[in-house]
Amino acid sequence: MQKAARKSRSVARPPGRPREFDMDIALDGAVRVFSERGYHATSIGDLTAAMRLATGSVYKAFRDKHAVFLAAFERYVALRQEQTRSAAAKGANGRERLRNMLLSYVEHSQGSEGRRGCLVVGSAVEMSAVDPVVAALVSARLETNEGFIAGLIREGQADGSIPRHVAADDTARLMICITQGLRVVGKARLSLDGKRLVAVAMKLLV
């Protein structure tokens, strides 16, 4: 988490002036409002309220709204990666780890977080076609997630919990479609029977 905080500061103005606020807490507020409203519908006023900062403090720490967004995006993906990998690590084998990962996506696609939405999915829909910087960040995040899933499948094949005939890369791509679709469904406030849906997804591994 400290690493994520350091990364967040990389898009801020150069150091030198003392900070009177916690950067991570401020960025968590920015993540919430960007996830709920999207980039274009979020004003500086929305950000100052969510980050609990004066407008001047925002502009002292960041160049502009785009810089706040980039820092918030990095903060979001770092925290979600930590949550996903922590959930997966509780499994005893590759198959269980993959199932735990999918259940984690279901969990985060429900309730208030589900209604708030995924910043990666929202950015892919709203900004990837018009903002090459964000497009590159979104692509990198999806590729990382896909690689992680493919790795879990290969772990399962190595320990015998997943059949060796399963195409790891193709199945990982399909599961990325499933996980990101879960976040869209959660944003739309549709009900999710998590265990049932995950059981269906796991049939890809038989």
Side-chain angles (χ1 to χ4, degrees), residues 6 12 43-44 58 81 96 154 192 197:
R6 288 195 297 271
S43 67
I44 288 294
V58 174
Q81 177 173 293
E96 287 186 9
R154 292 191 174 95
L192 291 170
L197 292 174

Side-chain angles (χ1 to χ4, degrees), residues 177-188:
C177 296
I178 292 171
T179 57
Q180 303 313 297
L182 284 169
R183 300 311 306 267
V184 173
V185 169
K187 180 75 170 180

